[in-house]
Every structure is written in C-alpha cells, then in structure tokens.
Amino acid sequence: MVQTKRGEPERNIRASLTLCPEQSCQVQVRRAAAHLAALEQCRIIHAHAFVAGHTEVVVGTALVDGYGKSGTVSDLARRVFDEMLSNMNIIGWNAIMAAYANKGMNAGLVLEAEKWLNCMISDYEVEPGLEHYTCVVGALARAGRLRDAERLTKTMPFTPDAAVCRLLLSACAIHGETKMASEMAQKLLEKNSQDDSAYVILANVHAASKSWDKVADVRKMMKVGRVRKEIGRSWIEVRGEVHEFFSRDTRHERTKEVYDKLEELMEAIRKLGYKEVSDAMLHNMDVAENSKALWYHSEKLAVAFGVVSGAAPPGKPLRVVKNLRICKDCHEALKYMSIVIEREILVRDVNRYHRFMHGSCTCGDHW
C-alpha cells in the first residue's frame, strides 16, 4: 500500500482557472478534472465556474460528466443537468445517460431495449450502430437469455467486436454457463490472444464449478502465451491524499490498524450471514486458507482504511476506485459492510459504479 499526494493536481487546476480566462481553456481543465473522477475537484471547479459566471452548455456538460464519473448522479449531476435543461444539447443528454448507465440504473430492461432498437428503424429511420446492438445484447445477457443474445450477435449487420464477446463472457460467468463461457472466451482470444480478462473470467467460471484441472489449464495457457494478469489495485482519497492498496500488501504506515479493522469487519459481517463466494477462490487449497486469502483484496483494504482514517464524515459515503472488475466475494462482503459501518460505500470499478447501502448494491448483482 502506498500513499501519494493530491495537492499538486488541485493547485494546477486552480491556477489554470485563474490564469486562463479563455472559455476553451477552462473547458479543457474541467474535462480533465472530469476524467479524474475526483468529486472534490469537480466541486471546486463548479464553484469557480459559478463565481466567474460561466453558464455555457459545454461547461455544464463537463460538470455533468465529472459528477457522473464521481458517482453523484441523482443529486449533483442531475441538478446541473436540470438547471441547463432548456439549452442542453445531445452531448449533454449523452453525458447524463452515461452517468446513469455507469451506476447500472435502468439496465437490463429487455423489452424496452428491443422496442427502441426496432423504433430506431421503423419510426425514426435511423440505422442502429454496433453500440446500439451491443446494448440490446447486454440487456438479453443480463436477463439470462444468453442464447438469444448470441443469436443477435450472429444476425446483426456488424461483426461482433471484443466488447460484445467480453460482455457475453461476463454474463456466462454470472449465470454459470460453463460451456458457452468457453466458446466466448475462445472468440475473444481469437481477436486478442493477450486479453487477460478472457483468461481470468474463464478461470472464475471453472473455479465456481470446482473444476480445478480446467483452472490449471487456463493458467497454463496464460503462461505459455506469456499473458500477465493486470495487478488489482484500489484507491481511496483522504484529506487530499490518495492511498493505493494492493491485495495482501503491507507497505502502508498504518498497516496494522488497517488489518485489525478489516478482520473486525469480516468477523462482524460473518455474524450477519456473509459467506465467502467460491467463484473468487481460484486455487484448490484448504477452504479456510482460501477463504482467508479473500479477506485481503485491495478494495476491502481500502474500505477498512477509509473507516480507520475517517475518509468521510458520518453520513457521507466512502469512495473507492478500482482498476479491475470487482470480484464476487468483495461485492458480497461490501454489501454486508455497508450495514456494519452504517454508511454508503461507492466503488467505481472498470465496468461501472457500485453503490452499496443497507446490504444491497444498485447494480442488482450484475456487472
């Protein structure tokens, strides 16, 4: 676990706003801050824009995007959007829809998705693009209609890209469809033999069915192909400093406090009914040993540090950013932790925002 300063980027943003009166320069700075998905920076920039009287649509759109990437969709992002609704353009509408989509809201509505795909053609004479078909494939897959989703990929007027194959592969993992998962992984690897996500998801599928020989085969394939799995890491900001966590890392100066708090949290959620998710156990070893290894994933360490460090005042959510897809075990554990610590936990992983509160997640356990 390492710690890095955040004060310098913030000072740079403020300096840019002060020294660059031109609207284009300020917009670029706002977009840069939006890309960082840093809530406090977005608030600072929002305040500067208000004081300076910048109410242009392009500024509002950048703020909607920034707040959306920070997970504050229903309140801050939507408030900015509504204030500029009369002048909002298609880019602004896309920004607010993307913000809601990243939180998993309105996702998985199969009939709605199919209806709008057909309406594009019949009512509005708009030819759907690959991204539109991908949305419908995703809705079908989330609903468990995997073969229907696969059939659409074969009949749509586009060659399925890696994103479509990965989407189907992830859905197969969620629904435990081992055979189809192998097929999708193969198609994904045909497009990119170095795609570590294909190997990892496939290994998870086999681990869930306790097919340890097949898990070993996947690992062997990675070794032969010299494919390296990206190391999982999580970040949490505390009073202007970003703290980075790796799985089972012990480099942080407050390591003992973090591990003590995490073990306390894990014991507490066990009493509430939490059980380790077998899908996340990728080794055929003693159950107790394997379960214990799951405790120290980076996102759990980040949350534990957030609690002991006072990362957010009471009533405010803990915010964690992760570079990979959150694993099933951490997802389950954080649902219970939101009950124990009596606050919301926001995790932005590589796919979407997860908002854990009162023992559930806004993604509906599909991500």
Side-chain angles (χ1 to χ4, degrees):
M1 293 176 280
V2 296
Q3 175 179 328
T4 56
K5 297 288 185 183
R6 270 297 281 277
E8 193 62 37
E10 183 176 319
R11 283 195 294 275
N12 290 341
I13 290 172
R14 294 189 185 197
S16 297
L17 285 169
T18 303
L19 298 174
C20 301
E22 297 86 355
Q23 177 185 338
S24 60
C25 181
Q26 294 199 24
V27 169
Q28 290 303 318
V29 174
R30 291 185 179 90
R31 285 175 177 165
H35 182 68
L36 291 173
L39 178 61
E40 295 309 316
Q41 274 75 4
C42 286
R43 281 178 168 153
I44 291 169
I45 293 166
H46 193 177
H48 277 276
F50 179 81
V51 172
H54 288 288
T55 58
E56 300 87 351
V57 171
V58 69
V59 175
T61 299
L63 287 170
V64 169
D65 185 43
Y67 282 134
K69 285 185 169 70
S70 299
T72 53
V73 180
S74 300
D75 40 16
L76 296 176
R78 183 58 185 268
R79 188 186 308 165
V80 173
F81 179 83
D82 288 344
E83 288 173 353
M84 309 192 74
L85 183 58
S86 60
N87 297 317
M88 193 55 74
N89 58 21
I90 189 171
I91 300 173
W93 277 95
N94 282 335
I96 193 68
M97 286 192 292
Y100 278 116
N102 281 332
K103 291 192 71 173
M105 303 179 78
N106 302 318
L109 301 177
V110 179
L111 295 180
E112 286 288 306
E114 292 179 316
K115 167 192 168 184
W116 284 107
L117 183 69
N118 293 328
C119 282
M120 288 180 68
I121 303 171
S122 60
D123 296 349
Y124 300 101
E125 298 182 350
V126 175
E127 286 297 324
L130 176 59
E131 66 274 17
H132 301 105
Y133 284 98
T134 301
C135 288
V136 180
V137 169
L140 290 167
R142 282 171 57 92
R145 293 172 54 182
L146 297 173
R147 290 302 174 187
D148 288 338
E150 183 185 27
R151 190 175 301 113
L152 180 58
T153 67
K154 294 178 178 178
T155 57
M156 66 184 185
F158 300 97
T159 300
D161 62 3
V164 172
C165 295
R166 191 177 297 109
L167 189 157
L168 280 173
L169 176 56
S170 297
C172 290
I174 291 171
H175 294 287
E177 290 289 341
T178 307
K179 181 180 179 182
M180 188 173 177
S182 297
E183 296 172 0
M184 289 302 114
Q186 182 60 41
K187 290 183 179 181
L188 188 53
L189 292 174
E190 287 173 0
K191 297 180 182 299
N192 179 9
S193 62
Q194 296 296 304
D195 191 327
D196 62 319
S197 68
Y199 294 100
V200 172
I201 297 173
L202 184 58
N204 286 337
V205 173
H206 291 314
S209 61
K210 293 182 169 45
S211 301
W212 303 115
D213 289 344
K214 292 183 178 180
V215 173
D217 289 341
V218 174
R219 290 182 177 278
K220 184 177 180 180
M221 289 168 59
M222 293 182 71
K223 186 175 181 179
V224 171
R226 296 184 178 180
V227 179
R228 298 186 64 180
K229 178 183 179 296
E230 184 178 357
I231 298 173
R233 61 188 73 183
S234 297
W235 297 268
I236 186 168
E237 182 178 352
V238 181
R239 290 181 286 278
E241 295 180 347
V242 172
H243 297 257
E244 183 182 55
F245 292 79
F246 294 87
S247 179
R248 308 191 78 164
D249 204 339
T250 58
R251 291 178 293 168
H252 198 278
E253 60 183 13
R254 300 181 68 177
T255 291
K256 187 178 186 308
E257 290 178 79
V258 172
Y259 275 73
D260 287 347
K261 175 54 69 174
L262 181 54
E263 293 190 6
E264 177 187 318
L265 290 172
M266 295 303 292
E267 292 296 344
I269 66 176
R270 272 186 164 179
K271 292 177 181 178
L272 292 178
Y274 158 80
K275 293 181 180 179
E276 289 82 0
V277 180
S278 61
D279 298 42
M281 301 179 186
L282 292 179
H283 299 279
N284 185 16
M285 62 173 70
D286 177 76
V287 174
E289 181 184 354
N290 212 336
S291 299
K292 197 78 171 181
L294 296 176
W295 285 23
Y296 307 117
H297 282 187
S298 64
E299 49 268 66
K300 293 190 184 85
L301 290 169
V303 170
F305 177 72
V307 174
V308 300
S309 64
K316 296 294 183 179
L318 293 178
R319 300 175 180 276
V320 175
V321 177
K322 182 174 174 64
N323 66 325
L324 302 177
R325 176 180 180 270
I326 187 172
C327 79
K328 286 188 177 182
D329 182 73
C330 286
H331 193 272
E332 187 70 9
L334 295 188
K335 288 194 293 185
Y336 282 96
M337 285 186 188
S338 69
I339 299 174
V340 172
I341 66 176
E342 297 183 327
R343 69 170 60 189
E344 180 181 332
I345 301 171
L346 269 174
V347 178
R348 183 187 178 192
D349 74 0
V350 71
N351 288 339
R352 67 174 71 252
Y353 256 100
H354 298 268
R355 187 180 184 186
F356 302 95
M357 51 187 177
H358 310 304
S360 63
C361 179
T362 51
C363 78
D365 296 339
H366 289 273
W367 69 96

